[in-house]
């Protein structure tokens, strides 16, 4: 079978970043473990993959990230106490997830950039297409974004990037693509640039943290020199990949919140809180009667 038609079974979650924008909390809590309503951010990303039938989850961790592994591991002490109290359901959501997903971990020894983090996962990915999820890109959508992307992958094969239009002022925060629409919402990528100045940007179509990548990316990642911010950039490697094979982009349906930004994280808390049946009424009531002291 041609590589570009192979089933996607694996997802790489880079989680070695320092979370600088959320300091000081990220001194001791990995940003992937920050809570959105009642679950850590990374759990939402993993659930999104499971919904797209991607069950092999590879987490690229680093120093200070042990709590991610602990969270998905069993906690015998809690299990014993909860069993005595008849409250086993409190661990159910994470237990179900750990059973559905096949989790593995690899460690990035130095934070040399997103591209380098992906390269660290090469041995676990092997020679097959795979997906990448940046769990601080929180996406609220009717159909999970990875599932939307798998639909495009089934039709077109090859690498697919999730993109969204951003305001001009935000262009320098993202990888930006130059592309041509070939179907409604589906674009053929012509060029990419990591965090350009507004005047140099080819468009306002920003890459959001969901990717489907052909394994050939590893060869280009190995050759990629440090780029923007002195880091090995995934965007630069995808640009090189583009000279040898097609790359597509999907303007996905959904609202994205930047979990690395305090205001955006707060907005996401409210939206996800309102969507939680057990919290909705109480939260609306609270908002309607807000009084600041
Ligand atoms: C990374 C990528 C960038 C992408 C962004 C999406 O940047 O390098 O191309 O647009 O994620 O969130 P970071 O936010 O890690 O600086």
């Amino acid at each position: 079978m041609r590589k570009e038609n192979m089933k996607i079974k694996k997802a790489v979650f880079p989680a070695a970043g320092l979370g600088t924008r959320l300091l000081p909390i990220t001194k001791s809590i990995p940003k992937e473990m920050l809570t959105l309503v009642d679950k850590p951010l990374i759990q939402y990303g993993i659930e999104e993959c499971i919904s797209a039938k991607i069950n092999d989850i590879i987490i690229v961790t680093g120093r200070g990230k042990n709590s991610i592994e602990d969270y998905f591991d069993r906690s015998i002490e809690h299990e014993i106490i909860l069993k005595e109290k008849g409250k086993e359901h409190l661990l159910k959501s994470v237990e179900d997830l750990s059973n559905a997903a096949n989790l593995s971990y690899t460690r990035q020894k130095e934070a040399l950039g997103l591209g380098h983090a992906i390269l660290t996962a090469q041995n676990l990915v092997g020679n097959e297409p795979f997906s990448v999820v940046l769990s601080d890109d929180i996406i609220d959508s009717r159909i999970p974004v990875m599932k939307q992307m798998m639909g495009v992958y089934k039709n077109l094969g090859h690498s697919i990037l999730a993109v969204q239009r951003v305001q001009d002022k935000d262009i320098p925060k993202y990888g930006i693509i130059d592309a041509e629409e070939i179907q409604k919402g589906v674009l053929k990528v012509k060029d990419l640039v990591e965090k350009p100045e507004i005047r140099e940007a080819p468009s306002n179509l920003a890459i959001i943290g969901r990717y489907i990548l052909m394994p050939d990316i590893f060869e280009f990642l190995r050759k990629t020199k440090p780029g923007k911010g002195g880091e090995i950039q995934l965007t630069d490697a995808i640009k090189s990949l583009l000279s040898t094979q097609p790359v597509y982009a999907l303007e996905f349906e959904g609202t994205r919140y930047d979990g690395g930004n305090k205001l955006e994280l707060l907005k996401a808390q409210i939206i996800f809180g309102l969507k939680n049946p057990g919290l909705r009424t109480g939260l609306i009531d609270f908002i309607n009667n807000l009084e600041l002291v």
Side-chain angles (χ1 to χ4, degrees):
M1 187 190 278
R2 291 158 67 105
K3 259 186 292 191
E4 59 268 29
N5 303 116
M6 280 170 73
K7 239 176 125 194
I8 313 271
K9 293 177 298 199
K10 299 181 180 174
V12 177
F13 281 67
L18 298 173
T20 324
R21 285 190 294 154
L22 292 169
L23 279 169
I25 191 71
T26 41
K27 278 177 75 191
S28 62
I29 299 181
K31 72 174 170 186
E32 297 74 18
M33 290 305 291
L34 292 177
T35 319
L36 178 56
V37 184
D38 54 0
K39 291 183 286 197
L41 292 184
I42 193 165
Q43 186 167 349
Y44 288 87
I46 297 177
E47 286 173 354
E48 184 182 324
C49 288
I50 304 277
S51 81
K53 300 200 164 47
I54 300 173
N55 295 59
D56 292 345
I57 307 294
I58 300 162
I59 304 180
V60 182
T61 65
R63 272 190 299 283
K65 302 278 183 164
N66 295 350
S67 60
I68 301 177
E69 283 184 62
D70 292 343
Y71 179 77
F72 291 111
D73 200 355
R74 291 184 63 179
S75 168
I76 307 295
E77 295 88 334
H78 283 111
E79 284 174 24
I80 294 170
I81 294 169
L82 291 177
K83 203 171 171 93
E84 277 168 13
K85 296 187 175 166
K87 289 186 172 176
E88 290 102 318
H89 64 278
L90 292 177
L91 290 177
K92 197 172 171 344
S93 98
V94 61
E95 271 178 10
D96 287 351
L97 188 69
S98 300
N99 291 335
N102 173 21
L103 295 159
S104 42
Y105 299 88
T106 183
R107 200 148 158 146
Q108 187 187 13
K109 293 195 188 70
E110 278 178 279
L112 297 178
L114 177 59
H116 182 260
I118 307 292
L119 191 54
T120 308
Q122 179 174 14
N123 282 345
L124 291 170
V125 171
N127 192 24
E128 55 185 275
F130 63 102
S131 64
V132 173
V133 174
L134 308 185
S135 43
D136 57 351
D137 278 327
I138 304 164
I139 302 171
D140 173 32
S141 58
R142 276 180 299 117
I143 303 170
V145 181
M146 195 49 81
K147 215 169 167 180
Q148 296 180 37
M149 292 173 75
M150 290 291 269
V152 180
Y153 177 75
K154 273 185 197 134
N155 287 332
L156 297 174
H158 297 287
S159 300
I160 318 229
L161 318 176
V163 296
Q164 192 177 49
R165 291 195 184 275
V166 294
Q167 290 181 9
D168 284 359
K169 68 170 177 48
D170 291 325
I171 282 176
K173 297 182 193 161
Y174 298 97
I176 301 289
I177 64 166
D178 183 14
E180 170 192 1
E181 190 166 51
I182 53 167
Q183 295 163 18
K184 196 174 170 339
V186 180
L187 305 110
K188 190 161 192 298
V189 178
K190 293 195 283 186
D191 199 8
L192 308 89
V193 47
E194 179 68 7
K195 304 196 174 97
E197 302 285 331
I198 299 172
R199 59 189 152 74
E200 289 162 359
S203 76
N204 65 346
L205 282 167
I207 304 171
I208 302 302
R210 304 288 186 277
Y211 307 75
I212 288 175
L213 295 170
M214 291 296 112
D216 313 77
I217 194 72
F218 292 121
E219 171 194 334
F220 294 104
L221 280 169
R222 265 196 308 277
K223 292 183 197 151
T224 301
K225 301 259 173 333
K228 203 87 191 180
E231 296 188 341
I232 297 175
Q233 296 292 352
L234 178 59
T235 306
D236 294 344
I238 300 174
K239 183 180 163 86
S240 307
L241 179 75
L242 185 62
S243 62
T244 62
Q245 55 182 262
V247 174
Y248 299 100
L250 171 68
E251 258 190 274
F252 59 91
E253 173 277 316
T255 308
R256 175 255 184 183
Y257 300 89
D258 174 5
N261 171 294
K262 292 175 190 177
L263 178 61
E264 292 266 304
L265 186 55
L266 201 50
K267 289 182 190 170
Q269 301 283 3
I270 294 172
I271 294 297
F272 282 71
L274 288 172
K275 290 188 137 193
N276 182 313
L279 300 174
R280 184 182 167 82
T281 316
L283 185 55
I284 292 177
D285 190 44
F286 172 73
I287 293 171
N288 284 339
N289 295 295
L290 265 185
E291 267 179 52
L292 297 183
V293 279

